[in-house]
Amino acid sequence: MALLDLRDVSKAFGGLVVVDHLNLHVDEGEVVSLIGPNGAGKTTVFNLVTGIFHPDAGEIVFEDRQVSGLPPHTITNRGIARTFQTLRLFLNMTVLENVMAAAYGHTKATFIESMLQLPRARREEKRIRALAEEKLAFFGQRLAGYRHDQPAYSLSYANRRRLEIARAMATNARLLLLDEPAAGMNPNETREVTELIGKLRDDAGYSILVIEHDMHVVEGISDRVIALDHGVKIAEGSFDEVATHPLVIEAYLGARAKAEAV
């Protein structure tokens, strides 16, 4: 049974159709890669799933409950978390505070209780700190120990990417949406991100939908690949099946390349 299921979903801005009758699913424990040229509608799919945009038609179902039309914080609390193509960290907050911030949506202490540090607020603060430390520990020495008290701006670019993933994990998500996690990284960092995504599935038990342009990453992580072009699904299957599909070759390289491939 699908953990996430997009059923005939469409979205247009004015007269421009960005997602066109899209059917897409992510199963439990699966890594699905969403590929396509710039403007294919990939990030719009993420924005629809996470409630930033609402679909014009179709429905989005997560764990057998419809989430399309719900506000982003409600969808996050249901178990879907994301990272962004452009990093959205709190740069002047510490590494630990960045991860703790993601967990406050699950607390029940009131503003007054928090301000006066009453018992429930103190208990929740302790629990959230332990949760944040647990999520950071997943990344080993990259985000461990002394780094907890460092401001986020002091981290390398690759570790900022890791921190954003840790923050998504702290929402108690079951499904992670990773938007170009290897963007801007060198080959060694890209290899480490590929291994990290595998660990997120195999060791931490997440299901993952990922947007990625680096085909080496896509090949290394994907159980299934879905290709979009102008908001339309043009291919779905294994990496080899999608990478050699004539419509995918045409979308990336043009009609001449498609003809030569055939």
Side-chain angles (χ1 to χ4, degrees):
M1 184 177 297
L3 181 67
L4 175 73
D5 197 4
L6 277 66
R7 301 171 181 171
D8 212 26
V9 170
S10 296
K11 180 65 181 178
F13 298 99
L16 178 64
V17 178
V18 182
V19 175
D20 191 4
H21 297 286
L22 177 63
N23 290 285
L24 176 157
H25 72 275
V26 179
D27 293 334
E28 187 83 37
E30 188 178 33
V31 177
V32 177
S33 291
L34 198 58
I35 69 169
N38 290 333
K42 304 182 298 296
T43 297
T44 299
V45 171
F46 272 31
N47 289 337
L48 288 167
V49 172
T50 55
I52 295 175
F53 300 150
H54 295 169
D56 298 328
E59 60 180 3
I60 302 171
V61 176
F62 178 69
E63 293 185 320
D64 291 329
R65 294 192 294 175
Q66 184 163 308
V67 296
S68 44
L70 296 178
H73 69 275
T74 301
I75 293 174
T76 300
N77 286 336
R78 291 276 182 92
I80 300 175
R82 69 173 294 181
T83 64
F84 292 85
Q85 182 178 350
T86 304
L87 288 167
R88 307 273 182 97
L89 297 174
F90 303 115
L91 293 177
N92 290 316
M93 292 170 58
T94 68
V95 168
L96 187 63
E97 288 169 344
N98 263 275
V99 182
M100 290 175 67
Y104 281 111
H106 295 282
T107 60
K108 293 180 169 46
T110 66
F111 172 75
I112 297 297
E113 286 176 305
S114 298
M115 184 177 67
L116 298 178
Q117 283 293 285
L118 296 180
R120 180 164 67 166
R122 292 200 305 271
R123 288 195 301 270
E124 289 186 336
E125 188 80 7
K126 184 178 180 180
R127 176 176 58 81
I128 286 173
R129 185 181 185 89
L131 174 67
E133 290 172 345
E134 174 193 332
K135 300 307 180 186
L136 288 169
F138 182 82
F139 298 85
Q141 292 302 311
R142 298 293 188 178
L143 295 176
Y146 71 95
R147 293 192 188 275
H148 287 187
D149 296 322
Q150 289 185 326
Y153 67 74
S154 69
L155 296 178
S156 68
Y157 177 79
N159 280 341
R160 291 184 190 187
R161 285 283 182 190
R162 292 183 178 94
L163 178 57
E164 193 173 38
I165 294 172
R167 190 173 62 181
M169 294 165 67
T171 64
N172 291 325
R174 293 190 62 204
L175 175 67
L176 295 179
L177 276 57
L178 307 180
D179 196 345
E180 297 194 32
M185 293 189 180
N186 63 41
N188 186 58
E189 292 168 339
T190 298
R191 176 184 57 78
E192 290 179 350
V193 166
T194 303
E195 294 172 355
L196 171 62
I197 293 172
K199 284 184 60 181
L200 286 168
R201 177 191 58 194
D202 299 335
D203 297 345
Y206 291 103
S207 303
I208 301 170
L209 178 62
V210 58
I211 295 172
E212 187 51 69
H213 285 291
D214 189 318
M215 290 300 111
H216 293 295
V217 176
V218 174
E219 183 178 17
I221 65 174
S222 304
D223 297 306
R224 193 158 39 87
V225 179
I226 296 172
L228 300 183
D229 188 29
H230 295 96
V232 176
K233 181 166 67 175
I234 57 174
E236 179 175 358
S238 68
F239 174 81
D240 289 338
E241 290 169 341
V242 173
T244 57
H245 195 287
L247 291 179
V248 176
I249 296 171
E250 180 180 3
Y252 274 99
L253 302 176
R256 180 177 179 181
K258 174 188 174 182
E260 291 174 354
V262 173

